[in-house]
Each structure stands twice: as structure tokens, then as C-alpha cells.
């Protein structure tokens, strides 16, 4: 059942002449699953078709933005309609007010919001805002949580429960990293120890649900405890909801877990597949952002009409029944996976939260820490990924990434996917 991908190979060889690794973002290069990336020419609903004509059910979904599915008719029409009147004015336009209002109405902790062009810009700006608002310098991040590629966030976790950041990329200097402390996720004592021993901490930034190291859910009350400690030690809590915002619920993880952040970062879904990020907080905190306040942040195409139009249509379609449908589909997926998970207990774990899922090749019976994910067998994942491609299923090309359901996925898609998983595991784990 080999896959014919000669056209992708030709394109990849050409791409490597002009772009590092032939890609514009490293994880797309298939380095952790082997082989070369597939080149896609068409996406519609839950399907994507590559340049060799192979048709896949897609669960990468552009890494999260496409909660409606590929090329949603209404999103495409909105982009076309707006583009005919101009793609960017570099000046205010009415659409910005509409989408800003939608964000403010969805997140009680957000009274004002600033739009930027990526999740990285959102988290970078949120940290600068936290430092500007508190006058303090250090930041806490959590191992396994990814917040984009700003220098002070490309910082490695040490082996201890809490370590002062070591650069996690060439080009990030020790000075860039020295104000970043990395704390074990899901370990409240580790956070307490750092907060009680440092009085120069501006903020904690975290993914409320860790979605960049598999799918790691917060332990019961963990988020509440983090929030209480931040309040006690006068440290701002930043929830990076670039993935979870408008996905876990209309109000993201904050709505789902009932814990409110001081600053929230958003991205992906709010752009409907176009480049958008955002950060928001109370009016008091946001009053520090230029031009109202001294914290500078800017962007040529921030809030541009096209991305805003795609975001508005996407958020308009995310009504309560949409989340019900996503939950039903996710539950169905989990139910269909049950016999497989039981058969491969202590060899495979399947984790789902709302429309996000992850598969781990592990002998654990639950995953609550990054260290456990580090022990997962990524060679087996790579083999599994290839076998799934051969069966018409496109999973995110990395064992550390999660999968996404969309409103376009059907029960038939799930049935085909579970069959492919069953067949593939038969080979990988027999
Ligand atoms: P971008 O700068 O890639 O728009 O967003 C950075 C970011 C911030 N916060 C979270 C929680 C994120 O997950 C991300 C980006 N996510 C990755 C994959 N999980 C994007 C894929 C890629 O890097 O190509």
C-alpha cells in the first residue's frame, strides 16, 4: 500500500534550494517522522489533497486554526468580498471593532484586546506588557509549554523542578534567557518554591492545557492553585490560549476550568486560517499599551481587513451547538478507540479533551507530566505516522503535536480513521 509521492519529492528538492529545510516552519519538514513533507494543493472540509492526488482525512488542520474545516465557504466568500475593497489600509477599519468586541464578549478577563500577526507576537507582547505593568523583570514558563519563538521563551527546562533558563536555540544568548525561570508543569510545589524565593517576577506564562508536548491536562485544581499563588505573590498570570482559545469552549480553557488569567494570548482560530494573534487583559493593564501607555508594540498588518474578515466569520459560526457537535464527535472518536486502547494497554495511550487528541506510544496508563512524554517511543510514532498516511490519514508530523477535529469531520471520517489506526497498530505493536 505504498504511497506515490514523486511530485512532492520533486517539489521538496526544489524547495530545499531556496528555503532552509525546504519549509517555512521546522515541524513541517517531517524530520521527526522521516521521509519528506507532502505538498498539498487543495483542502476542503476535513480533507486535503496532495500534489500526487493522494486524498487524506486531515487532523493537523494547519496546527489548529481550521476549527470549521478547510476552505469553509463562508470564510472564503468573506475573504473574497473584503479583498476586492482593499487588502490593507494601515489604518483603522470597522471589522477590527467587530472582532475585538467578539473576543471581549467571550473572555471575561479581557476588557481590551490588541491584534497582532502571530501567536509568537502575542506572547512576546504579553510578556513585555507584564514587565511594563509590574516593573519586574523575571518570567516563569513551564516545561513542555510552547509559546512561539521569542528569544526569552526559547529556554530549556533543566532536570530540576525549577531551573534558570538555559538557551534552547542557537542565537539565544544567556542574557536573553537569564530572566526566564522554567518550572515543572503540574507541580504546584515547584511553582510555590520559585515564587516564594523571588520578588522580581513579573508573570507566569503557561498553556493552561499543555498541547505542544502531546496533550497534558492540568491536575485537578492545579490551575486554581497557580492563580491563587500568582495573586498571593503579586505576579501576573498569562494564559497562552493560542491553541485552546475558542477551541475548548468559546471562552477557552478559562471557561472550561473556571480560572481567569490576568492576560490572555490568542491566535490560530481567531484568524480563521489567516495570520492573526492577539493579547488582551483588563482595561487597567491594557492602559499600559502604546499609544495609551509606555509599553510599545506595533505591526504593519496587525488587524488587517482580510484576516479579520476570516476571523469574524469563524467566530460567528462558533455557536453553542458547534461546541456540542465537536464534543459529540470527540466522544464518538474516544468510544470507537476504546477496544483498541484496551487491547494495547501499557503500549498505547489515547487522550482527548474536547476536539483535541493525542496518541502516545508509552507503557504508562496515564500522562500527567512532560517527563512521561519524553519517555514515549517516537520511533513507533514515526512508523505509525507513515502507515496512517498509506491509509489516507494525515496526522501532525510529530509525536509531540496533537490532532484536531473540526466541524467538517464526520463519523464516517472517524470510522475510517479508527480502522486505519487498528491496522497500523497491528503492524507497529504486533
Ligand atoms: P505562531 O507564532 O506559530 O502563530 O504561534 C506560536 C504559538 C504560541 N502558543 C502556542 C500554545 C502555540 O501552540 C503556538 C504555535 N503552535 C505550533 C504547533 N503546536 C505551530 C506550528 C509551527 O510551529 O509550525
Amino acid at each position: 500500500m505504498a504511497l506515490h509521492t514523486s511530485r512532492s519529492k520533486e517539489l521538496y528538492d526544489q524547495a530545499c534550494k531556496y528555503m532552509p529545510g525546504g519549509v517555512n516552519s521546522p515541524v513541517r519538514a517531517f524530520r521527526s517522522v522521516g521521509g519528506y513533507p507532502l505538498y498539498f494543493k487543495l483542502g476542503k472540509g476535513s480533507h486535503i489533497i496532495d500534489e500526487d492526488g493522494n486524498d487524506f482525512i486531515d487532523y493537523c488542520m494547519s496546527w489548529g486554526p481550521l476549527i470549521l474545516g478547510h476552505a469553509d465557504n463562508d470564510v472564503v466568500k468573506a475573504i473574497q468580498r473584503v479583498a476586492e475593497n482593499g487588502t490593507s489600509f494601515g489604518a483603522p477599519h470597522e471589522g477590527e471593532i467587530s472582532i475585538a468586541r467578539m473576543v471581549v464578549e467571550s473572555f471575561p478577563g479581557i476588557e481590551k484586546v490588541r491584534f497582532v500577526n502571530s501567536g509568537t507576537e502575542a506572547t512576546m507582547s504579553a510578556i513585555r506588557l507584564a514587565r511594563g505593568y509590574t516593573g519586574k523583570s523575571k518570567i516563569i514558563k513551564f516545561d513542555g509549554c510552547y509559546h512561539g519563538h521569542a528569544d526569552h521563551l526559547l529556554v530549556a527546562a533543566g532536570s530540576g523542578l525549577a531551573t534558570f533558563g538555559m538557551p534552547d536555540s542557537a542565537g539565544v544568548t544567556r542574557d536573553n534567557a537569564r530572566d526566564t525561570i522554567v518550572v515543572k508543569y503540574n507541580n504546584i510545589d515547584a511553582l510555590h518554591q520559585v515564587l516564594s524565593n523571588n520578588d522580581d517576577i513579573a508573570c507566569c506564562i503557561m498553556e493552561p492545557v499543555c498541547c505542544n508536548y502531546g496533550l497534558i491536562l492540568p491536575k485537578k485544581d492545579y490551575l486554581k492553585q497557580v492563580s491563587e499563588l500568582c495573586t498571593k505573590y503579586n505576579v501576573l498570570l498569562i494564559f497562552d490560549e493560542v491553541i485552546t482559545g475558542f477551541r475548548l469552549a468559546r471562552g477557552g480553557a478559562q471557561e472550561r476550568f473556571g480560572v481567569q488569567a490576568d492576560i490572555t494570548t490568542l491566535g490560530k482560530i481567531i484568524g480563521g486560517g489567516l495570520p492573526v494573534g492577539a493579547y488582551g487583559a483588563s482595561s487597567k493593564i491594557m492602559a499600559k499599551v502604546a499609544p495609551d501607555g509606555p509599553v510599545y508594540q506595533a505591526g504593519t498588518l496587525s488587524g488587517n481587513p482580510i484576516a479579520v474578515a476570516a476571523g469574524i466569520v469563524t467566530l460567528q459560526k462558533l455557536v453553542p451547538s458547534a461546541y456540542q457537535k465537536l464534543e459529540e464527535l470527540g466522544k464518538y472518536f474516544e468510544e470507537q478507540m476504546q477496544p483498541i486502547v484496551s487491547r494495547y494497554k501499557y503500549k498505547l495511550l489515547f487522550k482527548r479533551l474536547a476536539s483535541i487528541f493525542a496518541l502516545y506510544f508509552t507503557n504508562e496508563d496515564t500522562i500527567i507530566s512532560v517527563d512521561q512524554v519524553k519517555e514515549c517511543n517516537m520511533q513507533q510514532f514515526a512508523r505509525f505516522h507513515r502507515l496512517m498516511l498509506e491509509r489516507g490519514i494525515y496526522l501532525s508530523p510529530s509525536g509531540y503535536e496533537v490532532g484536531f477535529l473540526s466541524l467538517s469531520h464526520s463519523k464516517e471520517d472517524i470510522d475510517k480513521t479508527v480502522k486505519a489506526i487498528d491496522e497500523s497498530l497491528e503492524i507497529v505493536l504486533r
Side-chain angles (χ1 to χ4, degrees), residues 140 158 175 180 221 310 381 395 417:
I140 291 174
D175 270 1
T180 304
D221 295 334
F381 179 84
L395 298 174
T417 305

Side-chain angles (χ1 to χ4, degrees), residues 138-168:
K138 293 203 173 10
I139 65 173
I140 291 174
K141 78 172 290 290
F142 295 78
D143 68 329
C145 290
Y146 176 70
H147 305 292
H149 61 88
D151 284 352
H152 46 278
L153 289 167
L154 289 180
V155 164
S159 54
L161 289 179
T163 47
F164 268 87
M166 293 297 293
D168 201 14

Side-chain angles (χ1 to χ4, degrees), residues 24-28 62-63 117-121 123 145-149 207 209 211-212 240-244 265 267-268 276-277 400-402 404:
N24 284 308
S25 199
V27 71
R28 303 179 192 170
S62 185
W63 310 96
N117 297 285
S118 68
T120 295
E121 268 192 84
T123 57
C145 290
Y146 176 70
H147 305 292
H149 61 88
E207 291 179 71
V209 176
C211 300
N212 279 283
D240 177 355
E241 296 225 42
V242 166
I243 286 185
T244 55
T265 57
K268 296 184 192 269
V276 178
Y400 295 103
E401 300 285 350
V402 294
F404 297 99

Side-chain angles (χ1 to χ4, degrees), residues 83-128:
E84 280 164 10
N85 295 332
T87 57
S88 173
F89 305 115
H93 62 98
E94 189 178 355
E96 291 169 294
I97 304 166
S98 307
I99 197 166
R101 184 185 300 117
M102 293 168 103
V103 168
V104 166
E105 288 171 352
S106 302
F107 283 80
I110 298 180
E111 292 178 324
K112 285 198 176 175
V113 60
R114 167 63 59 84
F115 286 83
V116 293
N117 297 285
S118 68
T120 295
E121 268 192 84
T123 57
M124 184 172 73
S125 309
I127 286 169
R128 186 181 308 134

Side-chain angles (χ1 to χ4, degrees), residues 81 211 229 256 296 300 391:
R81 174 174 42 77
C211 300
L229 283 177
R256 192 172 189 101
Y296 191 71
T300 302
R391 287 160 179 78

